[in-house]
Amino acid sequence: MRQVGFVFFLLVLFSCQKTSPSLCDSDKELKDIASFPIGTTEDDVVANWTTAIGGKYFNRITSENVLKMDRLAQSPDSFDFFPLAKMSREANNAGYEALHVHTVIWHKQLPQWISNYPSQELDDVLTRYCREYAKAISQTELIRITGIDVVNEALNEDGTYRNNLWFQSMGRNYILKAFREFSSLDPNFKLFYNDFNLALNPIKLDAALDLCDWLRSQGVRVDGIGTQMHINIHEPSANDLAQAFEKIISRGYEVHVSELDISINPYNKIEASSDKLLQQQAEKFHEVFRLYSELPKKYQYGITLWGIGDGDSWIPTEFKRFDAPLVFDQNYSKKPAYCSCLRALEK
Ligand code: G3I
């Protein structure tokens, strides 16, 4: 409780500081300037749908939670893809042009029944789930689906496979089976492996690339790598970012900066003024946008912010600390980071 009080105190302190240098007054929009899609995520719980703010600033939306397995797989024999149809309609109404599906196979946000399910039968569940998911995607109308995170976070930081329930049942073949079920979809639906810390940890990035190469060698389609990008004002460096992007494209994969947010308070210890932190954050956003915009066009799937306003971010809830990691503040005013992203794209 004390911690919640402290977080609230920081929030008030932060939002009461003088505002002029801490806002961006440009009326240009990233999505109108970028030559690649600019995405965001919105949660049905946050329910920004009614304000339609997202479609004004972003042209693609990623499903933050509604298309994960706990929402779609009621039982081993019953999958309900109504949330996909609902989201397509709402995203279209909110003015988005495209939808990125996140995420099919993951070790989190699983349905409760799965923890008691016999491990040797998960193979069958995974195949049927992926097959029906692919079919639902191919039948989606009202919005253009451009890509799918087929498998999420299958690797540990040391490059070994995460020992999740899928891995315990099928070894790394679960990843292959999942991608196989999506591979026959129209190639306009781009297929992604998505993971975090790839720009910070070259061992993990190498393992992700080796995994994707192995998948391709087995005859399945993998179009790109989602680099998540939950980073902070201190790291990764511009050099680390550039090297990671370069490595991914040199191996023939598109890059999706899939879950971008930049923490200003990664160690839960505010040591600078809000203006200084927002400036540092703007510089880091500028690096990401500049380096990404320098990539050859055919490798640019797009940049997706993990939320619109700071009040929508998963970080304060998950880590129980104050943070403001996005390009809009909690009132949906543009922060300096928004202007710096615009500058990076205008170069
Ligand atoms: O749906 C319940 C709702 O019924 C309940 O009233 C409410 C009370 O807290 O909780 C709701 O579930 C929450 C869910 O988000 C929907 O809001 C969960 O508690 C909460 O844990 C969940 O957090 C999500 C998190 O994934 C779960 O791991 C975040 O919103 C989402 O941003 C985050 O996204 C992940 C990506 O999928 C993968 N990469 C990392 C990223 C950040 O963790």
Side-chain angles (χ1 to χ4, degrees):
M1 190 63 202
R2 234 179 33 194
Q3 202 165 17
V4 172
F6 181 62
V7 167
F8 182 71
F9 168 74
L10 281 173
L11 195 64
V12 171
L13 183 73
F14 206 76
S15 55
C16 287
Q17 296 198 4
K18 65 181 185 327
T19 53
S20 48
S22 61
L23 289 176
C24 157
D25 61 6
S26 174
D27 56 7
K28 293 183 188 163
E29 308 309 346
L30 292 171
K31 77 171 170 68
D32 299 331
I33 291 181
S35 59
F36 47 82
I38 302 289
T40 189
T41 188
E42 284 197 64
D43 200 347
D44 58 343
V45 178
V46 175
N48 276 316
W49 305 113
T50 46
T51 64
I53 183 174
K56 181 171 173 211
Y57 299 115
F58 301 91
N59 41 22
R60 184 164 61 204
I61 181 159
T62 295
S63 45
E64 184 171 7
N65 288 299
V66 294
L67 302 183
K68 291 172 176 171
M69 198 176 187
D70 60 346
R71 306 289 184 99
L72 304 177
Q74 284 69 31
S75 77
D77 307 308
S78 147
F79 311 134
D80 178 3
F81 292 94
F82 175 71
L84 175 59
K86 182 171 181 283
M87 180 163 190
S88 309
R89 187 178 63 245
E90 290 175 343
N92 182 47
N93 287 345
Y96 291 100
E97 293 161 24
L99 168 67
H100 179 86
V101 171
H102 172 83
T103 178
V104 182
I105 296 297
W106 194 23
H107 62 281
K108 285 189 178 170
Q109 289 174 286
L110 291 167
Q112 270 181 353
W113 57 262
I114 215 164
S115 50
N116 304 319
Y117 201 70
S119 182
Q120 65 278 14
E121 288 172 37
L122 277 178
D123 186 338
D124 180 50
V125 169
L126 178 136
T127 303
R128 280 187 295 107
Y129 180 63
C130 291
R131 193 165 294 164
E132 288 192 34
Y133 209 139
K135 189 171 163 208
I137 286 172
S138 70
Q139 293 174 341
T140 296
E141 294 170 346
L142 295 177
I143 199 143
R144 188 164 51 92
I145 295 178
T146 51
I148 304 154
D149 290 335
V150 178
V151 174
N152 195 42
E153 301 173 8
L155 295 167
N156 294 313
E157 294 304 299
D158 65 359
T160 57
Y161 287 98
R162 191 187 285 277
N163 190 25
N164 62 28
L165 88 174
W166 306 112
F167 186 82
Q168 284 163 16
S169 167
M170 289 161 263
R172 69 175 178 173
N173 280 336
Y174 84 87
I175 307 168
L176 178 61
K177 285 169 193 279
F179 272 93
R180 182 162 284 141
E181 292 305 322
F182 287 87
S183 290
S184 55
L185 278 180
D186 183 307
N188 286 322
F189 299 110
K190 298 285 170 83
L191 308 183
F192 285 87
Y193 173 70
N194 192 51
D195 214 327
F196 59 90
N197 283 355
L198 300 182
L200 272 170
N201 180 353
I203 293 172
K204 194 172 185 183
L205 177 56
D206 288 345
L209 288 163
D210 290 346
L211 164 61
C212 293
D213 284 357
W214 171 70
L215 291 168
R216 281 182 169 176
S217 77
Q218 299 301 301
V220 300
R221 182 158 66 87
V222 183
D223 297 295
I225 296 194
T227 60
Q228 291 202 10
M229 212 65 86
H230 300 293
I231 59 177
N232 65 64
I233 51 176
H234 307 297
E235 55 179 4
S237 66
N239 200 32
D240 290 341
L241 285 164
Q243 279 186 9
F245 290 158
E246 186 51 41
K247 228 181 210 179
I248 296 171
I249 69 171
S250 72
R251 301 271 283 260
Y253 297 97
E254 292 183 37
V255 184
H256 181 199
V257 173
S258 55
E259 301 182 18
L260 177 60
D261 45 35
I262 301 184
S263 167
I264 61 169
N265 184 24
Y267 316 123
N268 198 10
K269 205 170 175 200
I270 297 274
E271 283 175 332
S273 70
S274 63
D275 285 350
K276 174 141 190 260
L277 292 171
L278 292 176
Q279 197 45 46
Q280 286 177 287
Q281 182 184 51
E283 283 160 21
K284 193 54 80 183
F285 267 108
H286 187 276
E287 280 173 13
V288 176
F289 270 70
R290 178 178 59 82
L291 293 165
Y292 190 84
S293 63
E294 287 168 1
L295 298 181
K297 191 167 176 42
K298 68 174 188 166
Y299 294 111
Q300 294 170 323
Y301 178 78
I303 294 182
T304 299
L305 281 295
W306 205 238
I308 302 178
D310 285 334
D312 308 329
S313 170
W314 65 290
I315 291 177
T317 318
E318 176 80 12
F319 300 113
K320 299 189 177 38
R321 66 166 200 246
F322 165 76
D323 219 313
L326 294 166
V327 294
F328 289 88
D329 68 15
Q330 67 273 24
N331 300 316
Y332 300 109
S333 298
K334 292 173 182 172
K335 292 164 59 183
Y338 197 93
C339 270
S340 72
C341 294
L342 282 171
R343 275 197 301 279
L345 294 175
E346 281 169 338
K347 284 247 159 79

